[in-house]
Amino acid sequence: MSITVLIVDDEPSARLLVSDILSDDYDVVEAQDAKQAMEMFATHNPDIVLSDIKMPGEDGVALLGKIKSVSPKTPVILLTGHGDKVLAVEALKKGAFDFIEKPFEDEEIVSATQRAAHGLRLE
């Protein structure tokens, strides 16, 4: 079973980093903001979403709400900068699968994505 991961971040270098970490094990698609993420979601139907919280326009928490409204079972992992823990807790209450604090270790991204993929395989 091939798993597609959508990476959403307004910083190209951040998208590239996460893509490099995951591309050996997953099909990766990228979006630069929440609007493009929803277009990619409709087109590619990703199994897992990794999104930055702080982005211009709609933030990652708003994106989480939109994804959950159209696909409640899709795991959404949020990436947070320093001091965003309040937002991260709010996101967990709204159904986020996990959150990872920036700067992160590669293994944190791999581990969270593997747990999300494992949950999908169990269903």
Side-chain angles (χ1 to χ4, degrees):
M1 171 176 144
S2 176
I3 292 183
T4 301
V5 178
L6 171 60
I7 300 165
V8 188
D9 200 308
D10 58 309
E11 296 177 34
S13 59
R15 288 195 310 269
L16 181 62
L17 177 61
V18 177
S19 180
D20 284 349
I21 293 168
L22 296 176
S23 61
D24 286 346
D25 298 311
Y26 304 95
D27 295 328
V28 175
V29 292
E30 300 178 17
Q32 65 187 5
D33 57 28
K35 181 178 185 293
Q36 189 181 38
M38 290 310 295
E39 292 167 3
M40 298 297 278
F41 197 87
T43 307
H44 295 278
N45 194 25
D47 302 289
I48 301 168
V49 177
L50 271 88
S51 176
D52 191 17
I53 286 183
K54 295 277 178 132
M55 297 183 288
E58 290 183 294
D59 67 12
V61 178
L63 176 60
L64 165 70
K66 285 184 169 185
I67 290 170
K68 290 296 182 181
S69 72
V70 296
S71 182
K73 293 186 184 234
T74 300
V76 179
I77 300 165
L78 294 174
L79 306 174
T80 70
H82 293 300
D84 289 345
K85 284 196 175 171
V86 171
L87 273 176
V89 169
E90 177 188 334
L92 289 171
K93 288 178 183 173
K94 291 183 177 181
F97 180 80
D98 200 354
F99 74 92
I100 298 169
E101 214 169 346
K102 290 180 178 180
F104 50 77
E105 299 294 325
D106 293 6
E107 186 53 40
E108 292 175 280
I109 296 287
V110 170
S111 176
T113 307
Q114 284 176 339
R115 285 193 332 278
H118 181 72
L120 292 171
R121 288 186 184 105
L122 291 178
E123 283 189 11

